[in-house]
């Protein structure tokens, strides 16, 4: 095996002068799902925003493949093959489903080519291409978000609490979509989550984050199928 | 209190000494200048007084005004029209001056009404001030021979005093108005002006009538400006539409920007320097000089946004490192007349919401929310991101936010009231983000929160702050009371949160809306805030509505919980009912409940 | 009556053409371009130079557009981009730029008034009256421009990216849209539209270093009450331009000159969103 796809090296980051993340080191290999678990306010979203280039790291390095991407803006990251499924500001509510999907890819030719892929996973999105995204239900909006990731076909996608506010059946569909992205499209996933069982059901590797530091990591099996992790997520 | 007096005296003494020096310079100046320069300088001094007011409006309050020339023109035309058409003499002169000042004040009031209302953007206000001189110029054109149309009026009778006398008049006018402006911006009211510039929205939610203050300042500035215009016209014996035109208005801005906005003296010096040089060079290099000014102006805006003045003060600090800017010491005291919690009544619920909806275009953020919050109760609002929690807070505290439904605070329907009116009904709101007023000190922020109750002194500073007991408790628990003169931008996140809460409490609300007050705080800090909130409901009978992500915190302190999901109330009940509810488990972030078990 | 209708239509056309460059810059960049008047003037002088050099006057419009686009890109890079976080300062800087441009033109061409030959002289008969053919051409250009600009925003990739940046810049950046480049292009297009509009209207007027200034404020007002939509700018031009024509015809032209400003100010006071939403 060559080097990992995404490699974070002692990453420290935050807003203003206050660090939210402290010395995070993390690796994501190709076609692997890594889940970072933690309660609210522990720095999970900041981690993804730092990788994307929305937040400048204070120290440490972000390697993508062989390339140092530490101080690179979001548009370079996207062009290199990193997609972001954020927790807030997820969609353009006043644009149609189609335009939201078009914005996921560089060219309209690729958009048409890859549309059948979406149809296979979320047929409902194809039915609603002309509808504006703001009128979709909460679950459908998450489907659209996942569809945009799938149509972009990035090398890696950073997913921010996709399960939040979703009903169990919808959470399962998200899990299926992520696994499909990994197994059939070879997309790596860095997932930040609070939803323990969802994360454990998809992840190859799990890391537990607390107050901006990774306190535990391993495979789901190594971590005893979650009992210890649940303790972290509780008070 | 004794401290108060010495400080005020020293403040006034400084203004007095400064004025004396200014007056002395003006007194002897004519004897060192030739006739040509003196006559240029007289006009320039009048213009400099106008630029001083532009700096107050733009540099201190943050309104980019293109319209100050209109008031200048009104003053000038009051002089020209009365002297040309009606009569000349001391009585006529005073009458004309009065007409000019009153007309300017009325126009400024009307402009303020048009330009400043809750929700008007700074851009819109600027465009309104831009429209003003343009309309006025058209009016002057359309009045034909009465105003002399495009060629203006000239040769009307006026006081042909000697140049020295005119220079003294203009000089005294400039020195006195600038001294007044200096006292104003250094006063407590000046702090309010800075607060409006830095965070207008936050000011409105503290109950400060932002639009009224802006309009009042516009009127005051218009009066000074019209007086300057009157003097200018009486001296130069010519009035023309250019005096009211928007190009002169933009020149005022250019001088202010070059001198350094928000420094008061910088713009005055720049106006005198640039305008004198312009007149000097207008014979030899007219276009090149204008080009140079334009290039320097653009460069300064891009590279030196604070103008040249900070360079000079920086140099001064370098030469005399000991001279630090004076920071006013203020002391805290217990407000014995605090009315905190005294509005509580059993009969009328402090907060009543009926069928409230909020739509953004096709997006339904809140649908048919109906709920009641009672006194002595802490109501937690939970729900996943995007459930509409913050929107609900906004709809309670700003009458213009909701699309449908009714909100009653202490029995008063808020109707379409703007935030500062809703504050008067008894609402206090804290925000999720901690952007306060960066350049103000902690004590000044607290004073700001008391503005609705105590007002702010126009030309003075108050040194003691009377606050209610809970506000004082928060300040001492967080250590903020030891750092009253610190600027808020230097505070830690936790301290900012504490200050935010103390400010809301200082405004003595009966309904407290808190948007994630503990986000990003340590356990110890959370505990302090939790304790204060419990005490507020128990001892002060406050009604607290709390948005919170942290279910454990909600469980510790809430009496009742409302669960919002996709803009609708999913459930309402005691904390235990909600946590054990299957419905909530299945829909709202089942994982959190699962993790907590 | 027919003359009045044609006057309203052509005035609206002129107003629309003159304001459209301002609209696209305001829409995408949230910036009021105070150099807009100067850009119009530059377009006028481009037309003057083209015809003075002996080329067909029709060429002056594309020439002005190209000149404006390139100039707009340079201005954006040097002046607008550093001020993106300070919108009110950007207004001032573009105003300063307007002064600089005005003085440069004065140095280059003198203060005097110049005339540009019209590419289409004479009148044409329409609705039973003889009417200036060139004014009708301007009105037709305006209608074509509404369609073209709407198509640019609704149908092209650039338009989609631009709308994404308007609606949610953070999300747009997260999707790999280079918002800096979108803004640069927008400013270039806005400047090109302004210069082309200047070239287009000069045959109806004369050219002098301050020719753009009177248009500036009316354009601001129209754009502010139109929101970010070209069709609603056209409607606003029609209504307010119509009011201006009516007041000028039946009351007096000076009052007509302030009609747009007064009506727009009142409309904005009552409904800050103007015509853009209901």
């Amino acid at each position: 095996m060559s080097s990992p796809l995404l490699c974070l090296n002692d990453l420290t980051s935050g807003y203003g002068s206050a660090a939210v993340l402290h010395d995070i080191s993390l690796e994501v290999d190709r076609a692997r799902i890594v889940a970072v678990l933690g309660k609210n306010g522990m720095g999970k979203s900041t981690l993804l925003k730092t990788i994307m280039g929305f937040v400048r790291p204070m120290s440490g390095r972000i390697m993508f493949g062989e390339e140092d991407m530490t101080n690179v803006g979001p548009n370079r990251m996207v062009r290199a093959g990193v997609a972001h499924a954020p927790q807030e500001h997820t969609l353009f509510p006043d644009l149609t489903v189609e335009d939201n999907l078009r914005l996921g890819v560089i060219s309209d030719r690729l958009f048409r080519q890859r549309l059948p892929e979406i149809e296979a996973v979320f047929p409902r999105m194809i039915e609603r291409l002309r509808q504006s995204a703001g009128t979709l239900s909460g679950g459908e909006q998450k489907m659209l978000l996942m569809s945009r990731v799938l149509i972009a076909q990035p090398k890696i996608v950073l997913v921010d609490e996709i399960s939040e506010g979703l009903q169990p059946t919808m959470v399962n569909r998200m899990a299926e979509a992520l696994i499909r992205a990994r197994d059939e499209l070879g997309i790596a996933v860095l997932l930040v989550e609070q939803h323990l069982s969802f994360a454990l059901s998809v992840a190859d590797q799990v890391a537990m984050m607390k107050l901006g530091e990774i306190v535990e990591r391993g495979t789901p099996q190594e971590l005893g199928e979650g009992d210890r992790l649940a303790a972290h997520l509780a008070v | 209190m004794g401290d108060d007096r010495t400080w005020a005296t020293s403040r006034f003494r400084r203004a007095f000494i400064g004025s004396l020096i200014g007056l002395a310079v003006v007194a002897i100046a004519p004897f060192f200048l030739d006739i040509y320069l003196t006559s240029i300088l007289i006009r320039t001094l009048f213009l400099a007084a106008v630029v001083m007011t532009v700096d107050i409006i733009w540099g201190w309050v943050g309104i980019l005004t293109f319209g100050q020339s209109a008031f200048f023109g009104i003053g000038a035309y009051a002089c020209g029209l009365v002297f040309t058409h009606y009569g000349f003499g001391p009585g006529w002169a005073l009458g004309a001056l009065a007409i000019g000042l009153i007309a300017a004040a009325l126009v400024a009031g009307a402009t303020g009404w048009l330009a400043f209302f809750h929700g008007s953007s700074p851009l819109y206000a600027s465009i309104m001030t831009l429209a003003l001189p343009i309309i006025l110029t058209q009016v002057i054109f359309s009045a034909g021979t009465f105003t002399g149309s495009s060629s203006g009026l000239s040769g009307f009778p006026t006081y042909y005093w000697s140049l020295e006398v005119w220079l003294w008049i203009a000089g005294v006018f400039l020195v006195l108005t600038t001294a007044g402006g200096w006292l104003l911006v250094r006063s407590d009211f000046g702090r309010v002006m800075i607060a409006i510039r830095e965070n207008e929205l936050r000011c409105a939610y503290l109950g400060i009538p932002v639009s009224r203050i802006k309009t009042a300042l516009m009127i005051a500035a218009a009066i000074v400006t019209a007086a300057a215009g009157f003097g200018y016209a009486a001296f130069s014996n010519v009035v023309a539409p250019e005096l009211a035109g928007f190009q002169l208005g933009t020149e005022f801005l250019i001088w202010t920007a070059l001198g350094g906005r928000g420094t008061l003296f910088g713009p005055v010096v720049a106006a005198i320097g640039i305008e004198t040089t312009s007149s000097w060079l207008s014979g030899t290099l007219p276009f090149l000089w204008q080009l140079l000014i334009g290039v320097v102006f653009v460069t300064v805006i891009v590279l030196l946004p604070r103008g040249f003045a900070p360079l000079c003060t920086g140099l001064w600090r370098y030469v005399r490192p000991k001279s630090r800017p004076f920071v006013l010491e203020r002391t805290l005291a217990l407000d014995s007349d605090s009315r905190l919690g005294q509005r509580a009544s059993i009969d009328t619920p402090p907060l009543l919401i009926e069928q409230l909806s909020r739509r953004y275009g096709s997006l339904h953020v809140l649908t048919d929310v109906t709920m009641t919050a009672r006194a002595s109760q802490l109501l937690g609002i939970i729900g996943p991101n995007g459930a509409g929690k913050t929107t609900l807070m906004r709809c309670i505290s700003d009458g213009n936010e909701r699309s449908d439904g009714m909100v009653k605070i202490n029995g008063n329907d808020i109707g379409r009231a703007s935030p500062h009116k809703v504050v008067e009904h008894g609402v206090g709101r804290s925000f999720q983000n901690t952007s306060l007023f960066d350049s103000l000190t902690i004590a000044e922020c607290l004073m700001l929160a008391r503005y609705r109750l105590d007002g702010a002194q126009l030309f003075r500073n108050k040194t003691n702050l009377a606050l209610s007991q809970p506000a004082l408790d928060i300040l001492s628990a967080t250590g903020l009371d030891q750092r009253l003169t610190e600027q808020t931008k230097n505070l830690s996140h936790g301290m900012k949160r504490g200050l935010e809460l103390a400010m809301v409490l200082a405004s003595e609300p009966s309904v407290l809306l808190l948007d994630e007050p503990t986000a990003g705080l340590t356990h110890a800090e959370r505990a302090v805030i939790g304790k204060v909130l419990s005490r507020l409901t128990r001892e002060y009978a406050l009604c607290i509505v709390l948005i919170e992500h942290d279910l454990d915190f909600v469980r510790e302190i809430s009496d009742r919980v409302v669960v919002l999901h996709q803009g609708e109330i999913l459930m309402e009940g005691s904390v235990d009912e909600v946590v054990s509810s299957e419905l909530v488990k299945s829909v709202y972030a089942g994982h959190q409940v699962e993790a907590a078990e | 009556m027919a003359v009045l209708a044609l006057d309203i239509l052509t005035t609206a056309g002129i107003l629309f053409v003159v304001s459209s460059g301002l609209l696209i810059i305001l829409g995408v960049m949230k910036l009021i371009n105070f150099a807009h008047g100067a850009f119009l003037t530059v377009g006028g002088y481009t037309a003057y130079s083209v015809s003075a050099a002996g080329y067909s006057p029709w060429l002056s419009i594309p020439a002005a557009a190209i000149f404006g686009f390139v100039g707009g890109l340079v201005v954006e890079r040097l002046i607008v981009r550093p001020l993106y976080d300070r919108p009110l300062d950007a207004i001032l800087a573009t105003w300063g730029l307007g002064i600089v441009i005005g003085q440069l033109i004065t140095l280059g061409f003198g203060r005097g008034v110049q005339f540009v030959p019209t590419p289409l002289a004479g009148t044409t008969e329409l609705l039973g009256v003889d009417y200036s053919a060139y004014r009708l051409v301007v009105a037709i250009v305006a209608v074509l421009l509404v369609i073209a600009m709407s198509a640019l925003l609704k149908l092209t990739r650039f338009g989609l990216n631009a709308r994404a940046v308007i609606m949610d810049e953070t999300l747009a950046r997260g999707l790999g849209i280079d918002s800096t480049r979108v803004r640069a292009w927008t400013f270039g297009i806005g400047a090109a539209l302004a210069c082309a509009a200047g070239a287009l209207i000069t045959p109806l007027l004369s050219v002098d270093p301050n020719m753009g200034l009177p248009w500036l404020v009316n354009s601001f007002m129209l754009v502010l009450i139109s929101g970010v939509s070209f069709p609603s700018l056209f409607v606003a031009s029609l209504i307010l331009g119509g009011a201006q024509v009516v007041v000028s015809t039946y009351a007096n032209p000076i009052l007509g000159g302030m009609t747009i400003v007064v009506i727009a100010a009142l409309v904005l006071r009552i409904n800050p969103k103007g015509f853009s939403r209901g």
Side-chain angles (χ1 to χ4, degrees):
Chain A
M1 272 301 273
S2 57
S3 59
L5 181 63
L6 177 71
C7 179
L8 309 181
N9 207 333
D10 287 337
L11 198 63
T12 297
S13 168
Y15 307 94
S17 57
V20 178
L21 301 176
H22 309 279
D23 297 329
I24 301 283
S25 293
L26 196 70
E27 289 179 4
V28 185
D29 285 321
R30 286 171 184 77
R32 290 275 146 178
I33 299 180
V34 174
V36 175
L37 287 158
K39 294 212 296 179
N40 261 317
M42 296 296 168
K44 302 191 305 293
S45 292
T46 308
L47 174 66
L48 300 193
K49 285 181 189 162
T50 307
I51 299 173
M52 277 310 287
F54 283 114
V55 179
R56 290 219 155 203
M58 296 164 181
S59 65
R61 278 204 307 173
I62 301 169
M63 297 293 292
F64 189 67
E66 300 291 315
E67 223 180 321
D68 187 338
M69 304 282 257
T70 310
N71 281 309
V72 159
N75 58 325
R76 275 267 329 265
M77 293 305 284
V78 174
R79 262 184 288 151
V82 184
H84 187 206
Q87 192 182 11
E88 286 161 335
H89 294 278
T90 49
L91 301 166
F92 295 98
D94 292 328
L95 291 183
T96 59
V97 170
E98 181 174 13
D99 282 346
N100 269 289
L101 290 174
R102 272 171 74 198
L103 284 165
V105 282
I106 311 160
S107 76
D108 289 350
R109 194 178 52 82
L110 282 177
F111 166 73
R112 281 186 295 274
Q113 246 173 37
R114 291 175 184 171
L115 207 54
E117 180 68 30
I118 304 303
E119 192 159 16
V121 190
F122 298 116
R124 210 188 300 180
M125 286 301 106
I126 305 299
E127 290 163 24
R128 310 213 157 178
L129 279 180
R130 302 256 151 236
Q131 197 174 329
S132 67
T135 59
L136 298 177
S137 74
E140 288 170 333
Q141 294 195 3
K142 291 282 168 72
M143 281 192 215
L144 178 52
L145 180 59
M146 272 314 290
S147 305
R148 196 179 66 204
V149 169
L150 292 177
I151 207 166
Q153 299 196 355
K155 296 197 179 100
I156 183 170
V157 56
L158 317 178
V159 182
D160 199 342
E161 302 219 16
I162 190 97
S163 72
E164 191 184 30
L166 289 185
Q167 302 186 12
T169 49
M170 195 57 80
V171 173
N172 291 339
R173 294 196 61 183
M174 291 299 149
E176 283 163 25
L178 285 175
I179 289 170
R180 185 186 168 95
R182 174 189 65 187
D183 296 346
E184 295 184 17
L185 301 172
I187 299 175
V189 181
L190 176 58
L191 190 70
V192 304
E193 265 301 335
Q194 301 192 55
H195 196 315
L196 188 56
S197 57
F198 167 65
L200 292 178
S201 72
V202 296
D204 303 304
Q205 292 277 324
V206 180
M208 173 59 67
M209 197 160 174
K210 229 175 177 181
L211 292 171
E213 287 176 53
I214 289 181
V215 291
E216 227 171 320
R217 63 175 97 210
T219 64
Q221 291 75 24
E222 285 168 3
L223 294 173
E225 287 297 345
D227 289 349
R228 281 189 12 231
L229 296 176
H232 282 299
L233 287 172
V235 186
Chain B
M1 292 308 277
D3 197 43
D4 188 8
R5 250 201 333 274
T6 29
W7 166 244
T9 332
S10 105
R11 155 79 26 100
F12 278 103
R13 196 170 59 219
R14 281 172 71 186
F16 186 67
I17 293 172
S19 303
L20 277 187
I21 295 172
L23 291 174
V25 172
V26 169
I28 59 168
F31 306 110
F32 292 92
L33 301 171
D34 65 25
I35 294 173
Y36 180 58
L37 199 57
T38 310
S39 92
I40 291 175
L41 205 56
I42 293 165
R43 291 167 212 237
T44 315
L45 292 178
F46 282 122
L47 291 172
V50 179
V51 171
M52 190 275 297
T53 67
V54 170
D55 188 38
I56 288 182
I57 300 271
W58 177 39
W60 294 83
V61 195
I63 308 160
L64 181 62
T65 174
F66 292 90
Q68 212 62 10
S69 55
F71 307 120
F72 191 72
I74 289 173
Y77 268 88
C79 170
L81 289 172
V82 170
F83 290 180
T84 306
H85 297 295
Y86 302 104
F88 176 71
W92 286 109
L94 283 177
L97 179 61
I99 291 171
L101 300 191
I102 291 168
L106 290 176
V107 172
T111 312
W113 176 80
L114 264 176
F116 311 128
F117 50 90
H118 179 69
S120 77
S121 72
L123 191 65
Y124 167 77
S126 284
I127 299 288
M128 287 299 123
T129 64
L130 175 64
L132 180 63
I134 285 165
I135 294 175
L136 188 65
T137 315
Q138 296 288 339
V139 170
I140 292 170
F141 280 142
S142 67
T145 52
F146 183 66
T147 55
S149 198
S150 62
S151 48
L153 302 168
S154 59
F156 45 81
T158 184
Y159 291 104
Y160 296 102
W161 293 320
S162 69
L163 283 179
E164 289 87 37
V165 174
W166 275 110
L167 188 71
W168 289 330
I169 292 174
V172 168
F173 180 73
L174 176 64
V175 169
L176 292 185
T177 49
T178 307
W182 186 80
L183 285 173
L184 179 69
V185 297
R186 291 280 184 294
S187 71
D188 282 353
F189 193 76
R191 304 293 104 179
V192 177
M193 286 158 48
I194 295 176
I196 291 175
R197 180 184 75 204
E198 293 202 343
N199 201 336
E200 190 177 327
L201 199 65
R202 191 60 65 94
C203 285
Y205 282 106
L206 287 173
I208 296 174
V210 173
S211 306
R212 213 182 308 154
I213 291 176
K214 283 181 172 177
T215 307
L217 283 168
M218 278 290 272
I219 292 174
I223 289 173
V224 172
T225 304
F230 186 91
Y232 187 96
F235 166 70
S236 62
N237 208 1
V238 180
V239 293
E242 286 74 38
L243 295 184
F246 108 102
Q247 268 170 313
L248 183 62
T250 52
E251 268 178 75
F252 292 148
L253 284 178
I254 292 175
W255 300 334
T256 311
L258 292 180
R261 66 186 95 156
T263 61
L264 215 66
F265 296 121
V268 169
V269 172
I272 296 173
I274 296 170
E275 186 55 12
T276 311
T277 323
S278 289
S279 307
W280 198 253
L281 290 180
S282 62
T284 45
L285 309 154
F287 306 128
L288 215 53
W289 171 247
Q290 283 294 317
L291 181 67
L292 187 68
I293 289 281
V295 171
V296 172
F297 174 60
V298 174
T299 317
V300 163
I301 290 284
V302 175
L303 301 177
L304 274 180
R306 309 239 60 96
F308 286 116
L311 292 185
C312 302
T313 48
L315 201 65
W316 176 248
R317 297 251 165 78
Y318 182 76
V319 177
R320 282 192 56 193
K322 271 190 296 180
S323 68
R324 274 186 303 124
F326 194 91
V327 178
L328 175 61
E329 296 284 346
R330 298 185 203 240
T331 50
L332 295 177
L334 179 64
D335 180 5
S336 47
D337 301 328
S338 168
R339 288 177 300 142
L340 189 66
Q342 287 181 9
R343 286 220 221 180
S345 105
I346 322 282
D347 309 326
T348 41
L351 173 64
L352 184 80
I353 300 174
E354 270 176 21
Q355 301 197 308
L356 182 140
S357 301
R358 178 65 170 116
R359 297 178 292 272
Y360 293 97
S362 52
L363 196 65
H364 289 251
V365 181
L366 290 173
T367 319
D368 271 345
V369 172
T370 298
M371 58 186 249
T372 311
R374 309 209 159 269
S376 306
Q377 188 181 57
L378 203 152
L379 178 68
I381 298 185
I382 59 172
N385 273 329
K389 302 181 301 265
T390 301
T391 309
L392 180 62
M393 290 288 192
R394 216 181 288 140
C395 289
I396 298 171
S397 52
D398 180 351
N400 280 306
E401 277 290 329
R402 67 191 187 282
S403 312
D404 265 315
M406 188 186 67
V407 176
K408 274 190 176 178
I409 308 288
N410 292 313
N412 306 307
D413 189 342
I414 66 166
R416 292 284 167 206
S418 49
H420 84 265
K421 290 265 171 57
V422 178
V423 171
E424 281 171 23
H425 292 313
V427 170
R429 178 182 171 195
S430 86
F431 286 76
Q432 207 172 352
N433 63 351
T434 45
S435 68
L436 288 160
F437 307 98
D438 275 353
S439 61
L440 296 189
T441 65
I442 293 168
E444 285 164 351
C445 282
L446 291 166
M447 182 205 77
L448 216 57
R450 300 282 303 179
Y451 179 87
R452 186 175 65 85
L453 302 164
D454 299 346
Q457 292 183 303
L458 265 185
F459 295 102
R460 297 158 178 273
N461 303 84
K462 208 164 95 164
T463 47
N464 71 318
L465 277 164
L467 300 176
S468 60
Q469 191 62 52
L472 290 176
D473 289 349
I474 287 216
L475 292 174
S476 61
T478 47
L480 285 164
D481 56 348
Q482 302 303 314
R483 305 173 62 175
L484 287 174
T485 54
E486 185 101 40
Q487 290 189 328
T488 60
K489 66 179 166 211
N490 300 329
L491 296 181
S492 71
H493 178 77
M495 285 191 144
K496 280 185 184 173
R497 285 260 171 232
L499 177 58
E500 167 101 38
L501 194 56
M503 283 167 69
V504 179
L505 287 177
S507 69
E508 314 215 328
S510 51
V511 179
L512 200 56
L513 308 177
L514 305 176
D515 198 345
E516 301 208 23
T518 65
L521 296 190
T522 64
H523 275 295
E525 288 166 331
R526 266 170 211 237
V528 170
I529 297 217
K531 221 179 276 170
V532 172
L533 296 184
S534 305
R535 200 171 149 211
L536 283 170
T537 51
R538 274 200 324 273
E539 291 175 25
Y540 292 87
L542 247 60
C543 164
I544 301 181
V545 181
L546 172 82
I547 293 182
E548 197 39 84
H549 249 111
D550 186 346
L551 218 59
D552 307 315
F553 186 68
V554 175
R555 189 197 285 243
E556 273 166 39
I557 65 170
S558 295
D559 304 302
R560 217 154 54 87
V561 175
V562 165
V563 186
L564 272 184
H565 181 61
Q566 295 188 5
E568 291 179 57
I569 293 189
L570 184 74
M571 195 187 164
E572 193 178 343
S574 74
V575 183
D576 291 327
E577 279 166 22
V578 167
V579 170
S580 58
S581 149
E582 284 303 315
L583 183 66
V584 172
K585 260 191 204 170
S586 68
V587 179
Y588 165 64
H591 50 286
Q592 279 181 342
V593 183
E594 162 194 295
E597 274 168 359
Chain C
M1 216 45 217
V3 173
L4 186 69
L6 288 174
D7 275 348
I8 289 175
L9 185 69
T10 52
T11 304
I14 293 170
L15 284 170
F16 175 84
V17 169
V18 166
S19 316
S20 56
L22 202 60
L23 181 85
I24 192 164
I25 291 176
L26 177 70
V28 179
M29 310 175 74
K30 317 275 184 290
L31 166 78
I32 283 270
N33 173 25
F34 265 58
H36 186 70
F39 288 174
L40 290 170
T41 313
V42 169
Y45 276 91
T46 313
Y48 170 74
S49 306
V50 166
S51 57
Y55 295 106
S56 155
W58 289 113
L59 273 180
S60 62
I61 294 164
I66 293 166
F67 188 68
F69 184 75
V70 175
L73 289 184
V74 174
V75 167
E76 195 276 340
R77 183 67 198 87
L78 292 180
I79 296 177
V80 180
R81 198 176 297 177
L83 297 177
Y84 194 63
D85 299 329
R86 296 186 266 143
L88 289 185
D89 282 7
I91 288 183
L92 280 177
T94 52
W95 172 252
L97 173 71
I99 296 176
V100 172
I101 292 175
Q103 296 305 321
L104 286 175
I105 287 176
T106 311
L107 285 175
F109 292 86
R111 290 186 97 167
V113 175
Q114 321 272 0
F115 291 93
V116 174
T118 171
L120 193 62
T123 59
T124 184
E125 200 187 308
L126 194 72
L127 301 173
V129 291
D130 285 332
Y131 201 79
S132 155
Y134 192 73
R135 278 184 76 98
L136 291 172
V137 167
V138 174
I140 293 166
V141 168
V143 173
L144 293 178
L145 199 58
V146 179
I147 298 166
M149 293 315 292
S150 299
L152 175 73
L153 280 182
K154 294 269 179 212
L155 301 179
T156 66
R157 190 74 201 183
F158 169 79
L160 183 63
N161 289 354
R163 280 187 294 151
V165 172
I166 293 172
M167 291 171 184
D168 190 335
E169 190 173 336
T170 313
L171 176 52
R173 287 175 63 207
L175 292 172
I177 294 171
D178 188 343
S179 53
T180 313
R181 213 168 86 194
V182 169
R183 284 200 290 267
W185 271 75
T186 306
F187 199 83
I189 292 174
L193 283 173
C195 284
L200 188 69
I201 60 171
T202 39
L204 298 171
L205 310 155
S206 55
V207 184
D208 69 81
N210 288 320
M211 65 173 273
L213 209 53
W215 296 98
L216 189 63
V217 175
N218 280 349
S219 306
F220 287 156
M221 289 305 185
L222 288 170
V223 163
L224 278 183
I225 65 170
S226 307
V228 198
S229 139
F230 282 95
S232 65
L233 176 64
F234 192 77
V235 173
S237 305
L238 210 55
I239 295 175
L240 299 195
Q244 179 187 340
V245 171
V246 170
V247 172
S248 306
T249 312
Y250 295 104
N252 85 46
I254 295 174
L255 282 182
M258 51 196 267
T259 313
I260 292 182
V261 176
V262 172
I263 296 181
L266 290 175
V267 168
L268 286 170
R269 177 63 175 89
I270 293 158
N271 180 9
K273 291 218 185 317
F275 291 175
S276 56
R277 233 187 262 169

